[in-house]
Amino acid sequence: MSSLSTQAITHKRGLRSIPGREINLETPPALLDAPLTPLSRFFVRNNGGMPTLDERAMVNWTLTIDGEVAREVTIGLDELKSSFEIVDVESVLECAGNGRAGFSPPTDGLPWGPGAVGCAIWRGVRLMDVLRQAGVTAKAVYVGFESPDCCLDDSTRPALSRGLPIAKALSPETLLAFAMNGEPLALVHGFPLRIVAPGFPGSAWQKWLHRVWVRACIHDGEKMTGLNYRLPTHAVSPGASYDADDFEVITDLRVKSLITSPAKEDEVIGSGEIDVAGYAWSGHVPVAQVGVSADGGQSWQDAHLAAPSSRFGWRRFEACLPCPPDGEIELVSRAMDEAGNRQPLGQAPWNPRGYLNNGVYRVPLRRRR
Ligand SMILES: Nc1nc2c(c(=O)[nH]1)N[C@H]1C(S)=C(S)[C@@H](COP(=O)(O)O)O[C@H]1N2
Ligand SMILES: [Mo]
């Protein structure tokens, strides 16, 4: 790890590093036990190397909006902040590969456990407002994002160039963000500017953004095509052949929950009650209910679900469960969204890249004798 990269993550505490040349850090669920995930505990996903942005680069940094627009716009950070309304949006950020390690058989991609997720208050200007100033043409269907980070094994290739359908780019919750939880955006999270696309997987939340390219076709930048961040439109069995044309870009997170307390391997008393707490979230369809179990899913109880503090944030759930008198103690949380979609009791539909595994979260506990 270069000294710059090391410097960039000195504020991280207790995260699990995923082996590889890129910096990828996962949060143990117990450290997600707060309504807002602090910077020190927020997971990190980098598809390549991080750009070397120093203070001078920040002063000279600009964002360009071009392509299918009436007027090309190039704007600096200070001007961006003073020209457009500044808004706060609380939102979960979850990697599409979160929970991938739970797929059987294993798939390609980083073996994330359950902690490639966090919730923060993002501050920025609406992408919509900046696009309006540029004047999006009637031909626009998508926006493509560009950043200076490159693949570590090929510095001529961008690490990632994702995008958003024009409707999402023009939605009021979609931001060009420069602050997180009231602090300036850290380099590792995309300083000086990143996309915030609530409801979309983390891949759409482009970091170190310096160009928004308004397109008349679906953006075809790095990791937009092939099987990248796409799901099959019909079931694909492990090992079976498939047609890449039958895969569609992921545009919505699935309903999901995570028990943050107690943690795996915690001991509990052999009788009495167990206090369970965690968070539930979803994409564009709100969370409706969370069920919890202490006996591995044989019996269920509705958890108390805190009122939503925002549309795209996560919701705390709490329950007090009677300890099963005998047998294994296994806590399970299972969320349902307003459309009636529930987390699968096993794994989510298997797919070659291991995306969107929203299977229920299970916490086996040891019984104290
Ligand atoms: N420029 C750039 N933006 C990026 C990435 C990247 O590799 N490069 N990774 C994306 C992915 S896949 C995820 S899940 C989120 C992670 O954001 P975080 O590192 O701030 O947690 O950033 C997204 N934005
Ligand atoms: Mo991701």
Side-chain angles (χ1 to χ4, degrees):
M1 208 186 276
S2 75
S3 61
L4 179 100
S5 311
T6 315
Q7 237 177 13
I9 56 163
T10 47
H11 41 64
K12 299 293 176 188
R13 295 282 177 276
L15 303 198
R16 178 176 83 99
S17 173
I18 305 215
R21 288 178 69 203
E22 297 85 9
I23 297 175
N24 288 296
L25 305 170
E26 167 168 11
T27 316
L31 295 187
L32 291 173
D33 200 28
L36 294 175
T37 313
L39 170 64
S40 61
R41 295 174 170 189
F42 213 98
F43 86 98
V44 174
R45 168 67 175 125
N46 289 322
N47 285 268
M50 290 197 288
T52 51
L53 285 176
D54 54 19
E55 261 170 60
R56 195 152 37 97
M58 183 193 78
V59 172
N60 297 330
W61 178 92
T62 57
L63 173 72
T64 296
I65 319 277
D66 62 358
E68 289 297 333
V69 291
R71 299 163 293 277
E72 194 174 308
V73 172
T74 292
I75 189 166
L77 193 60
D78 287 341
E79 202 189 338
L80 188 82
K81 289 180 186 170
S82 60
S83 310
F84 300 97
E85 188 187 350
I86 294 175
V87 292
D88 282 340
V89 170
E90 182 183 329
S91 178
V92 165
L93 163 54
E94 183 184 21
C95 181
N98 190 28
R100 177 183 286 127
F103 274 118
S104 174
T107 70
D108 287 346
L110 289 187
W112 293 113
V117 62
C119 184
I121 295 179
W122 308 92
R123 173 168 294 173
V125 301
R126 296 183 193 95
L127 175 57
M128 168 182 101
D129 293 346
V130 183
L131 287 173
R132 286 228 174 102
Q133 176 155 321
V136 170
T137 73
K139 279 196 254 165
V141 300
Y142 227 86
V143 291
F145 304 133
E146 289 186 358
S147 312
D149 56 326
C150 298
C151 292
L152 284 174
D153 51 11
D154 180 359
S155 61
T156 63
R157 217 169 119 196
L160 189 79
S161 174
R162 297 281 314 172
L164 286 172
I166 194 72
K168 185 67 180 180
L170 294 172
S171 279
E173 71 276 9
T174 305
L175 304 184
L176 298 165
F178 45 77
M180 179 183 176
N181 292 338
E183 289 176 80
L185 205 57
L187 174 65
V188 74
H189 293 298
F191 163 91
L193 200 67
R194 83 172 306 163
I195 291 290
V196 163
F200 270 66
S203 46
W205 296 46
Q206 188 95 13
K207 304 193 273 190
W208 312 295
L209 183 74
H210 68 190
R211 181 183 181 203
V212 175
W213 179 12
V214 183
R215 313 261 340 237
C217 59
I218 296 180
H219 181 56
D220 50 2
E222 188 66 34
K223 294 205 169 170
M224 273 299 292
T225 54
L227 302 191
N228 291 298
Y229 303 104
R230 287 173 185 247
L231 283 178
T233 49
H234 35 258
V236 170
S237 323
S241 65
Y242 48 76
D243 186 345
D245 290 344
D246 294 338
F247 282 65
E248 278 175 0
V249 177
I250 302 168
T251 56
D252 207 0
L253 291 174
R254 288 182 181 148
V255 66
K256 201 158 169 179
S257 63
L258 185 65
I259 294 170
T260 54
S261 170
K264 281 189 183 169
E265 297 310 313
D266 275 2
E267 284 199 339
V268 290
I269 45 171
S271 58
E273 289 172 324
I274 311 168
D275 288 320
V276 182
Y279 291 91
W281 68 94
S282 58
H284 294 87
V285 184
V287 170
Q289 182 246 342
V290 177
V292 282
S293 171
D295 54 14
Q298 294 170 57
S299 61
W300 294 90
Q301 183 180 307
D302 274 2
H304 171 260
L305 198 54
S309 59
S310 64
R311 174 58 198 85
F312 291 99
W314 58 19
R315 287 174 73 180
R316 187 171 176 84
F317 65 84
E318 290 176 346
C320 182
L321 294 173
C323 186
D326 42 48
E328 301 288 307
I329 309 174
E330 188 185 46
L331 305 177
V332 193
S333 67
R334 188 186 199 194
M336 183 180 79
D337 69 20
E338 284 182 1
N341 298 301
R342 280 174 194 271
Q343 293 184 256
L345 288 168
Q347 67 184 11
W350 187 93
N351 62 93
R353 289 289 176 86
Y355 295 128
L356 303 193
N357 186 1
N358 71 330
V360 293
Y361 189 68
R362 294 173 185 270
V363 180
L365 294 177
R366 286 178 298 150
R367 193 188 289 275
R368 192 184 300 155
R369 299 279 163 199

